[in-house]
Structure formats: C-alpha cells, structure tokens
Amino acid sequence: MTPDSSETGLPDTGEIERTEQEDAAELVEELATGSERPDAAGERLLIVLDIDGTVLLEDETLSPGVVDAVAHAGSAGHEVMLATGRSWESTRGILRVLGIAPEYVVCSNGAMVMKRVEADEVRYERWHTETFDATEVLRLLREHLPDARYMVELPDGSRLYTEYLDDWNLVGARRVSFDELVEQPVCRVVVVSPGDSEADFIELVERVGLNEVSYAVGWTAWLDVAPQGVDKGTALELVRKELGVDPSRVLVIGDGRNDVGMFEWALQHGGRAVAMEQGPDEVRAAAGEVTTTVQAGGVAAILRAL
C-alpha cells in the first residue's frame, strides 16, 4: 500500500489520466494549433506582400523560404494577401504557388480589388474597380515614345495591347491598333520602351508632366499609369475596413516605386512598412525598415520573426 501525501508530508503530485492513442493524437494537434492562434500571441495582422521583387525573383522563381513562412503566418492566424501591379490574370497563379486564398487581392496597383468566392478553386470576383479616360495620357506618351509598347486593362479584366512583348502575360489579351486603346475607360495603362533606361523614363515623366493620373516607374523603362489618387494604399484601406483589422495591425512588404503608396498608408496609421534591400533608395527611405534581398529570402526573414 502506497502512503498518501498527508502521511509522508510531501506535496501532492497530482494524478495521471490515461488517454487512448487516437484521442492523444487529437490532443497534441489541438495544443499545436492553439499555440499558433492569434488570441495566444496577440491580435492578427493584415500582412500585405508585393509580388515581383518581393515574393518572386526576376526569373519568376520563388524567394527562398517564402512558402513555408507564409504558411507559418497563416497558421498563426494572420491574414496574408497580395497587392500587386499585375492584372488578376497574372496574379491568380501566384496564390496557388503560395498556397493561400485570402479574402481579398489587390491588383493593377489598386485599380482592381478581387474578392474570394471559392478558396479551393481560387475563384474570385471583381469587388472594386477604378477607371479613367486614358486618351490624353496615352497620346502624350506616344508623342514622346512612338516606338514603345502600350497595353491597357479594361474594367472587366480584359487587356488590349499594341505589340507583343516577352515580359507580358498576354493570355486572353487582344492585339489592337493604338487608336482602339482609347475607345473606352480603362483601369490601368502599361507602357514599356525597350530602348530606354529607367533613368530615361523618370526624366521623361518629370518633363512632360502626368498630373491627372497616378504613375510609377519600374526598374526598367516600364511605366504603370492608374487613375488619379489611386494606388495600392487606397485599395488596401478599403480592404482593411472590410476585414475589420485595426490600422496599427498592418504589415506591408514591397520593393518598387509602386509600393510607396502602401508604405505611406501603413505608416500613417501606425503599421509597419518593410522594403526589400535591392529596392531603389527612395523606396527604402519611404519604408524606413529594410529586410534582406529577395534572393536572400527577405520576406521569409520578416515573417519568421513575427
């Protein structure tokens, strides 16, 4: 007969309860899941990732560790979404590769916001669209860049272009004459001038003036034009309100000039803005916080540290 604690003067050690193997496995799973719940580690974050130069390298391969890091953030209860200059047609596949199906996706530099309909099928519908009359800006740019390639995105997501370009995903797009580009309102204009440099493009837009639109110059001679006052930040504010996320619980990561708007939006409300190390000086300055390069897995480093 084993003496109880009152007889030995030792503290009560408690009891052991046997659990069947199946029940034990469920218990372990519950404990593991619970350890990553947002209520155990604080409020959830709205994590917004740019795609090119942030999630993807120039050759379209994934930044090291990004898939696992995104999964880790999702398991912790955070909402991980994308905000990109790409059209929806060029964005959908990236969601599949990352293994996410966020409620919203910001495309076309904020001119298009998609809302999830079916997660398993990565099926989305257009939830918010901004358009503008691009006639004047297109004719102005063509006057100075007669040999450039031009593409516009229409409100229904279809795209029209003047000449083929290897860098463009033209699935479902239609080649038209330049005059046809200006026949109806558009969400976005893309201009690529293969013979010019990034510096040439920056000098051009400053010289000719694009005061009635929003625009961003890419690393090459690539110009994205959106409706005036529209950028990733304006679209993300709509999404944040719909999701009910506190403004201070926002983390945005990007690498390009078209990310500056969302950097400013996040910082203005007390959130975090992180630039990739390889981004231009003015982009890194706008964020105020810098991670390593996309090649070195900069996004994974930030997400793993949450």
Side-chain angles (χ1 to χ4, degrees):
M1 178 176 178
T2 303
D4 61 27
S5 58
S6 61
E7 295 176 344
T8 62
L10 297 175
D12 190 351
T13 57
E15 298 178 350
I16 297 175
E17 181 179 347
R18 292 179 58 86
T19 305
E20 295 299 327
Q21 186 173 353
E22 292 183 3
D23 294 336
E26 291 179 4
L27 179 60
V28 170
E29 184 176 352
E30 288 175 6
L31 289 171
T33 304
S35 67
E36 293 193 322
R37 285 200 311 264
D39 57 1
E43 281 187 80
R44 69 169 178 163
L45 290 169
L46 174 59
I47 300 171
V48 184
L49 306 178
D50 170 50
I51 294 179
D52 298 288
T54 302
V55 169
L56 294 184
L57 279 65
E58 189 174 350
D59 63 1
E60 299 261 317
T61 58
L62 286 162
S63 180
V66 69
V67 173
D68 288 341
V70 165
H72 172 76
S75 296
H78 304 308
E79 176 77 0
V80 182
M81 64 173 290
L82 302 178
T84 177
R86 293 184 176 215
S87 66
W88 168 242
E89 190 66 39
S90 300
T91 302
R92 182 180 180 181
I94 309 304
L95 294 177
R96 288 187 180 276
V97 170
L98 290 176
I100 59 174
E103 191 166 347
Y104 295 94
V105 179
V106 171
C107 300
S108 307
N109 286 322
M112 184 79 68
V113 181
M114 306 296 294
K115 183 174 183 179
R116 185 184 66 219
V117 175
E118 174 57 54
D120 291 342
E121 298 297 325
V122 193
R123 192 158 57 91
Y124 285 70
E125 63 184 5
R126 284 164 186 79
W127 177 73
H128 180 82
T129 305
E130 300 274 3
T131 63
F132 70 113
D133 183 348
T135 304
E136 184 177 345
V137 67
L138 277 168
R139 288 179 176 162
L140 176 64
L141 289 170
R142 194 188 190 201
E143 179 183 338
H144 294 274
L145 298 168
D147 298 324
R149 273 74 161 166
Y150 296 86
M151 179 169 66
V152 299
E153 183 176 343
L154 304 181
D156 64 359
S158 60
R159 289 161 297 149
L160 309 176
Y161 67 98
T162 57
E163 294 181 72
Y164 176 80
L165 194 68
D166 287 339
D167 290 343
W168 284 345
N169 176 351
L170 296 175
V171 175
R174 181 166 60 90
R175 185 173 182 176
V176 299
S177 67
F178 182 85
D179 289 339
E180 288 182 74
L181 295 183
V182 300
E183 290 183 350
Q184 55 189 309
V186 303
C187 296
R188 172 189 179 219
V189 172
V190 181
V191 185
V192 178
S193 183
D196 291 307
S197 67
E198 175 191 358
D200 292 332
F201 242 15
I202 292 174
E203 187 276 331
L204 172 65
V205 297
E206 290 177 349
R207 175 161 47 89
V208 303
L210 295 177
N211 301 321
E212 301 302 319
V213 294
S214 297
Y215 65 89
V217 178
W219 280 19
T220 58
W222 178 301
L223 178 68
D224 267 304
V225 183
Q228 187 175 30
V230 172
D231 59 31
K232 292 183 181 182
T234 59
L236 287 169
E237 177 61 10
L238 297 175
V239 171
R240 183 197 67 77
K241 289 180 177 178
E242 285 296 311
L243 293 176
V245 176
D246 187 273
S248 66
R249 302 295 298 172
V250 168
L251 166 62
V252 300
I253 309 177
D255 75 306
R257 295 183 181 89
N258 63 336
D259 295 314
V260 171
M262 75 172 180
F263 288 172
E264 293 174 344
W265 164 76
L267 294 174
Q268 180 183 358
H269 297 287
R272 290 177 64 190
V274 181
M276 307 299 292
E277 188 178 32
Q278 82 278 353
D281 292 344
E282 62 267 36
V283 174
R284 298 198 305 272
E289 187 177 344
V290 179
T291 185
T292 56
T293 64
V294 63
Q295 294 87 352
V299 169
I302 292 294
L303 298 187
R304 283 294 184 184
L306 294 176

